[in-house]
Amino acid sequence: MVAEKPWGTQETLQSTAFVLLAILGTAPGQVTLHDELASILRARGNEWMTTAELAAEVNRRGRHWKATRNRITAAKVLGRVKLYARTFERVGDRVRLQSE
């Protein structure tokens, strides 16, 4: 029985289901928001960009998998940057990739 396994908690199974839905809901050629942000920053030489500039570029590219449902806003970019603090560096509303 699944519940008897150490990984069989409701929380673990639920978080796994969310990841699988995200993967399965992503069409070929489309990317997650944090991957698209990283791609934009790399293409610009990792120069500081504002969250508004990043949002505009994500919307222009149209590759983010939710782009057809919702326009990406500066607030959404800020939220994702905070979530991926190991990937992105932020000062106010300016963002770049973490230095290695």
Side-chain angles (χ1 to χ4, degrees), residues 16-85:
T16 302
F18 285 129
V19 170
L20 286 172
L21 281 172
I23 291 169
L24 295 173
T26 304
Q30 294 183 323
V31 297
T32 61
L33 180 55
H34 63 278
D35 286 337
E36 185 70 342
L37 295 172
S39 174
I40 291 166
L41 289 166
R42 281 188 201 99
R44 301 268 177 107
N46 199 28
E47 293 180 3
W48 289 100
M49 292 182 71
T50 66
T51 54
E53 291 169 335
L54 285 165
E57 184 62 14
V58 169
N59 291 323
R60 187 191 69 74
R61 286 181 169 199
R63 297 182 336 141
H64 172 57
W65 69 279
K66 286 189 179 179
T68 56
R69 287 192 268 166
N70 298 319
R71 304 268 312 152
I72 301 303
T73 64
K76 181 73 172 176
V77 170
L78 180 60
R80 192 59 53 95
V81 165
K82 286 181 178 180
L83 187 63
Y84 287 88

